[in-house]
Amino acid sequence: MSAYTQFTWDDLMYFLAVARTGQLSTAARQLRTSHATVSRRIDRLEFALKVKLFERNPRGYVLTSMGQRFVDTAEKIEAEADRLQAEISGGATAQRGVIRMSAPEGFANFFLTHQLHDFSASYPNLALELVTIQQIMSLSRKEADLAVSLDPPKAGPYDCEKIADYSLHVYGSRRYLERNGPVQNRDELLQHPFIGYIEDMIFAPGLDYLGDVHPGIKARFQSSSIFAQLTATRNDLGLCILPHFVAKQHPELQIVLADEVELRRTYWLICHHDLRNVPRVKMVIDFLFRIARANMPSFLRELDDESRR
């Protein structure tokens, strides 16, 4: 390298991506470039500044004390560059990059994906990666930028905000209920086969709700997938506890004990402190809260009923 090497704004982008993720590969994915390119740009930046910004170890890249101090400066430059680009190019449409979000299957498949046309129209240069595989995304290791969760974190460097409460009810198909007769009370639920989650694979306490309806209920058909549970219910296999916003999309499903059994759960949005004010992350957060507010009646049956009157 030349002794006169100077760093550029692009180098700061690479620096911040590695600082926020701790991994060259994850930073490369976000920047849509190669692992080798990220490594080369970090080396170039350190050479230009004549300072070591990261300690390299088998787990990834860890900021040195000088690197920690440099983050604040780099983020201020990033914010000003984003503001200038937005003024020149027309606001949110100027933002580019990749956002990876982890979310429960129900929220992702039965709510969020229905809103993606609006997302694409609002942020045409942002790419969204939506992960619904259980238990693999770690915000602490920056494997995801955002997470929608049923349970807020007990500790850690996270910002956590409530997206929405939602209601769940016992459902059965109309054909099943016509063949097996009406259910008059909670004790009569024990006479019916139930569909639910595999007990030792429940990844969030908020999904462990059969006992909240009746302590004697045991699921006869179990699946880790809410889509599989929904399909089994629609095919007359038994009764199932489903979120209202999922079941309402299928008119062949009917609520059992509508006035007696209702559960409430909450979706939380979790973000690492380091990423909360990154412009593209902030835009996705704002989008999620906007669509949640606009669709609030869908989450709670009582609000849905009121909106139809």
Side-chain angles (χ1 to χ4, degrees):
M1 291 186 186
S2 166
Y4 301 101
T5 299
Q6 293 183 334
F7 74 85
T8 66
W9 162 234
D10 282 352
D11 294 328
L12 297 186
M13 290 173 55
Y14 285 85
F15 165 74
L16 285 174
V18 176
R20 288 163 177 162
T21 65
Q23 302 288 332
L24 291 182
S25 58
T26 307
R29 175 187 58 79
Q30 290 185 352
L31 296 169
R32 296 193 163 182
T33 188
S34 69
H35 179 285
T37 298
V38 177
S39 177
R40 185 169 62 251
R41 297 298 284 268
I42 295 299
D43 289 344
R44 187 174 90 167
L45 178 60
E46 290 183 327
F47 183 84
L49 295 174
K50 303 293 190 295
V51 68
K52 191 173 185 180
L53 300 172
F54 295 99
E55 295 288 351
R56 282 76 164 167
N57 64 49
R59 293 192 302 266
Y61 277 45
V62 180
L63 286 165
T64 63
S65 58
M66 184 59 70
Q68 291 278 8
R69 292 167 57 188
F70 193 56
V71 166
D72 292 337
T73 299
E75 286 184 336
K76 290 176 183 177
I77 297 172
E78 177 189 49
E80 285 301 306
D82 287 337
R83 183 185 61 78
L84 179 61
Q85 184 182 38
E87 288 179 0
I88 295 172
S89 304
T93 58
Q95 282 298 320
R96 299 180 181 274
V98 181
I99 299 296
R100 176 175 288 179
M101 181 166 64
S102 172
E105 183 188 10
F107 182 88
N109 291 350
F110 296 96
F111 174 67
L112 183 56
T113 53
H114 293 258
Q115 316 295 327
L116 291 184
H117 184 272
D118 184 15
F119 179 85
S120 296
S122 300
Y123 311 109
N125 297 313
L126 283 182
L128 180 65
E129 296 179 347
L130 184 58
V131 180
T132 61
I133 302 172
Q134 300 173 2
Q135 294 179 299
I136 68 166
M137 293 288 101
S138 169
L139 289 181
S140 63
R141 294 194 298 270
K142 311 288 181 67
E143 293 173 343
D145 303 305
L146 297 168
V148 177
S149 174
L150 290 167
D151 304 290
K154 293 183 174 64
Y158 308 113
D159 289 335
C160 182
E161 299 176 72
K162 184 167 82 170
I163 300 174
D165 293 324
Y166 67 100
S167 60
L168 304 99
H169 307 267
V170 178
Y171 287 89
S173 71
R174 295 185 187 276
R175 285 190 304 265
Y176 174 85
L177 294 170
E178 287 169 1
R179 285 203 304 261
N180 294 277
V183 179
Q184 302 294 335
N185 55 60
R186 292 192 188 221
D187 286 337
E188 289 189 7
L189 292 172
L190 300 181
Q191 302 170 17
H192 296 265
F194 258 79
I195 298 157
Y197 286 99
I198 301 171
E199 290 185 10
D200 60 359
M201 294 184 67
I202 293 177
F203 66 94
L207 296 178
D208 190 10
Y209 38 57
L210 284 180
D212 290 349
V213 173
H214 193 295
I217 295 176
K218 299 294 181 184
R220 183 178 301 178
F221 171 71
Q222 300 179 351
S223 174
S224 61
S225 167
I226 191 175
F227 184 80
Q229 294 178 37
L230 173 66
T231 302
T233 310
R234 295 177 65 201
N235 283 282
D236 318 325
L237 200 63
L239 303 181
C240 185
I241 301 171
L242 294 168
H244 172 66
F245 73 89
V246 172
K248 68 172 288 189
Q249 300 177 35
H250 302 280
E252 71 273 24
L253 298 182
Q254 182 176 323
I255 296 181
V256 175
L257 299 177
D259 297 328
E260 186 175 346
V261 179
E262 179 190 76
L263 303 180
R264 290 284 180 100
R265 295 293 188 267
T266 300
Y267 285 125
W268 301 89
L269 182 65
I270 306 168
C271 180
H272 197 285
H273 284 327
D274 293 348
L275 299 179
R276 181 62 177 84
N277 292 316
V278 174
R280 64 179 181 276
V281 174
K282 189 174 186 302
M283 286 179 176
V284 175
I285 292 173
D286 292 344
F287 170 78
L288 285 173
F289 282 105
R290 184 172 74 247
I291 61 174
R293 285 193 300 269
N295 291 276
M296 198 61 69
S298 297
F299 288 108
L300 294 170
R301 175 172 165 256
E302 62 185 39
L303 295 180
D304 199 12
D305 290 345
E306 289 175 4
S307 70
R308 297 179 190 179
R309 291 170 187 162

